[in-house]
Amino acid sequence: MTANVRYADVEVGTELPEQVYPVTRLDLVRYAGASGDFNPIHWNERVAKSVGLPNVIAHGMFTMAEAGRLVTDWAGDPGALVEYGVKFSAPVVVPDDDAGARISVSGVVKEKRDDNRVVIALTARSGGAKVLARANAVVRLP
């Protein structure tokens, strides 16, 4: 695959269009099966509340993956992503209803580096809370 975005066409301050990713309990069950993380706080409301959580929460890595999806969709090539790191700042609470939760992700190019690499700062929010902190991705563009 080749990236859709060219290094020469990107400037510091270039914004990645915001995307909203829905999250339902079914998504969490599917993710648990794929990842092997069957911690009941991700699917059992009684257990989640017994440990002080407001409700079932999404897996942190699931949340991180959804935010990273903004970058790989924008670049057009998952292989363009060369570095990615976040800190988890708040959980994504997923109610047991048809709507579930939503993760809104936006990004901005904050640095252009040598070797056609750009650093993208991501912002991810759910339920009014910033769910990721220090979320940065580095992509290499053609």
Side-chain angles (χ1 to χ4, degrees):
M1 264 183 142
T2 302
N4 297 330
V5 179
R6 302 189 55 80
Y7 179 80
D9 296 334
V10 174
E11 300 295 334
V12 171
T14 298
E15 294 184 9
L16 283 65
E18 181 181 65
Q19 296 294 314
V20 178
Y21 303 107
V23 185
T24 65
R25 293 277 179 97
L26 180 58
D27 296 321
L28 300 183
V29 170
R30 288 178 175 150
Y31 184 82
S35 69
D37 180 353
F38 293 100
N39 186 325
I41 64 170
H42 300 303
W43 55 270
N44 185 308
E45 187 172 323
R46 179 182 47 80
V47 172
K49 287 183 176 179
S50 76
V51 298
L53 295 169
N55 205 327
V56 164
I57 62 170
H59 304 73
M61 296 303 286
F62 177 90
T63 303
M64 183 180 177
E66 290 291 63
R69 188 169 145 195
L70 177 76
V71 176
T72 57
D73 286 351
W74 173 75
D77 177 7
L81 183 64
V82 294
E83 292 179 37
Y84 183 39
V86 306
K87 298 243 182 225
F88 301 108
S89 55
V92 173
V93 179
V94 182
D96 186 17
D97 59 21
D98 291 337
R102 298 196 179 286
I103 303 170
S104 300
V105 184
S106 60
V108 62
V109 174
K110 73 175 194 180
E111 182 183 346
K112 288 182 82 172
R113 294 181 177 169
D114 295 337
D115 298 335
N116 285 25
R117 293 176 298 148
V118 298
V119 180
I120 300 165
L122 296 168
T123 301
R125 303 184 74 78
S126 183
K130 189 174 180 180
V131 295
L132 300 177
R134 295 188 216 160
N136 290 299
V138 178
V139 294
R140 181 172 286 123
L141 301 173

